[in-house]
Amino acid sequence: MANTSTKSRSEAITARKMKKVMHEFKEGELESSSGDKVRSRKQAIAIGLSEARQAGGKAPPAPKERQRH
């Protein structure tokens, strides 16, 4: 893993948010927006990336909804 000093500020924000969310998930404390406990690792990752985006971190864009014709 790269040293924190070599990361950009936005990458550091993303790493910090993901670490916090995954810790909450492993401890069983992470909740979704509806208030239910998160049981899926994929859902925990999605929540972490979403929080990182909102905080100004460097994260891939959220997938767009499929357009209907």
Side-chain angles (χ1 to χ4, degrees):
M1 187 170 187
N3 196 359
T4 305
S5 62
T6 61
K7 288 184 183 180
S8 70
R9 183 178 186 281
S10 60
E11 290 172 337
I13 290 171
T14 302
R16 190 170 57 244
K17 286 286 184 182
M18 288 302 296
K19 184 176 180 179
K20 180 186 83 72
V21 168
M22 292 310 290
H23 178 75
E24 287 180 8
F25 171 67
K26 289 176 184 177
E27 295 294 317
E29 300 170 355
L30 186 62
E31 294 180 351
S32 65
S33 60
S34 66
D36 296 335
K37 297 275 185 199
V38 174
R39 300 193 191 284
S40 167
R41 186 175 141 274
K42 287 183 179 183
Q43 188 179 9
I45 292 170
I47 291 169
L49 289 175
S50 177
E51 286 185 12
R53 277 187 217 101
Q54 290 174 354
K58 185 176 183 180
K64 305 291 181 202
E65 286 188 30
R66 206 172 95 189
Q67 293 181 353
R68 296 187 178 212
H69 299 292

